Amino acid sequence: QVHLVESGGGVVHPGGSLRLSCAASGDIFKINDMAWYRRERGKQREVIATVTNGGIANYEDSVKGRFTISRDNAKNMVYLQMSRLKPEDTAVYYCHADIQTGPNYEFEYWGQGTQVTVFS
């Protein structure tokens, strides 16, 4: 069993900052790519930031320059530092990871989601 648990969501004013955290636990052999997705109300879930095991990050255009994804491989954690938040960033944010439970087994896992609300 592998679990991803997010924390750090909340309510913030436009221009503010939040930091999301995601902890992976359980029967983990190796964590490969990790990512943050979000789902705005009425829309499909979309990927906004990814980071490889080696730390190479990529961002969706709307968050580039404002959000930073990072990870701590020793702690099986991934983070999303969000700055200069806008009302359109309001969404449920999900952690995603490709995790090997053995040398030849890789599965994808999702966290339960954490709500981020940006409003004046």
Side-chain angles (χ1 to χ4, degrees), residues 7 29 44 81 92 108:
S7 60
F29 176 77
Q44 291 189 337
Q81 178 66 47
V92 178
E108 59 176 331

Side-chain angles (χ1 to χ4, degrees), residues 35-112:
W36 287 96
Y37 285 68
R38 69 184 179 190
R39 181 174 54 82
E40 298 173 55
R41 182 173 294 183
K43 297 185 179 180
Q44 291 189 337
R45 188 160 48 187
E46 62 173 357
V47 59
I48 58 169
T50 63
V51 62
T52 66
N53 180 275
I56 298 173
N58 281 286
Y59 301 92
E60 192 269 332
D61 286 345
S62 69
V63 307
K64 203 173 292 184
R66 299 188 299 123
F67 292 9
T68 302
I69 188 171
S70 61
R71 63 189 288 172
D72 185 331
N73 290 336
K75 296 181 179 179
N76 291 337
M77 298 283 294
V78 64
Y79 308 95
L80 186 69
Q81 178 66 47
M82 305 184 292
S83 303
R84 292 184 282 140
L85 282 159
K86 305 174 182 179
E88 51 264 44
D89 294 318
T90 296
V92 178
Y93 285 71
Y94 297 89
C95 174
H96 175 274
D98 294 320
I99 297 176
Q100 290 179 245
T101 57
N104 300 311
Y105 301 95
E106 182 183 84
F107 303 94
E108 59 176 331
Y109 295 91
W110 293 92
Q112 80 285 359

